Amino acid sequence: STAPASWDKPLAGKVAVVTGAARGIGATIAEVFARDGATVIVADIPAAGEALSETANKVGATALALDVTAPDAADKLAEFATERFGGIDIVVHNAGITRDKLLANMDEGRWNSVINVNLAAPHRITEGLVAKGALKEGGRVIDVSSIAGIAGNRGQTNYGASKAGVIGMVNAEAPKLAEKGITINAVAPGFIETAMTAAVPLPTREAGRLMSSLLQGGQTVDVAETIAYFASPASNAVSGNIVRVCGQSLI
Ligand code: NAI
């Protein structure tokens, strides 16, 4: 069949949810989705309140205080989106945390919190939204993995395991979601310049930048535009894929 005449507003009429969207990569995903014509819900933890409202105002999105690890997170999200907008077309599981420690000091608390936010929550929320019928036929699920889940990273056993888990989860969920006409894909960003990576010590930051064949950190928009592709009709026939963003990892 023929190509569309234009990609102006490819997400018009779509309702998109972005978790962890108060700042960083999530805020830029929300901005790009709004540009592409989507109705956007930006979700973040209650403690992010003010930053979340600012992001929502800036991009013209609706804010929702939502801790993705809450047992009722999927219910809350489904109810909110269904009441206001009639359901969800696109969900981006972007919320993520690091709790780095070298292996000998990798305690249960750090392990569990990272696995819960980065891996268990996206799974529970996707399952919940599908079970409730809140995620519509033809819907899109986009997960955020990391190059740390592919190549590993010193001090990030918990983080690397959670992000490798995301890849396994995407592969496992793709055929099941396909039965409902829903696609699922993930991005695996390299080192991206955000508050998360600004918090790591300078030598580690420099090493992170040099892990990429681009020999510099990526920008949040690089990740957001790749996610916008997975959200758009351009990727109708694409599911179960992981795309690295930020050049080729050199490790
Ligand atoms: P960030 O720390 O700037 O933003 C993460 C957002 O998630 C924050 O607003 C935070 O409040 C929110 N969040 C944390 N826990 C939450 C919870 N339980 N419920 C709801 N929201 C929660 O991080 P950044 O850099 O923007 O990262 C976004 C995603 O990209 C994360 O999943 C991260 O692991 C991933 N990533 C980032 C890379 C980087 O180099 N910055 C590289 C690869 C992946």
Side-chain angles (χ1 to χ4, degrees), residues 43-68:
D44 210 299
I45 47 173
E50 207 167 303
L52 183 63
S53 320
E54 273 170 30
T55 301
N57 290 340
K58 185 181 159 208
V59 311
T62 305
L64 172 66
L66 183 81
D67 181 338
V68 295

Side-chain angles (χ1 to χ4, degrees), residues 20 23 25 44-45 66-68 94 145 159 163 190 192 194 197:
R23 67 179 200 187
I25 295 171
D44 210 299
I45 47 173
L66 183 81
D67 181 338
V68 295
N94 165 78
S145 178
Y159 186 78
K163 295 299 188 180
I192 308 295
T194 69
T197 47

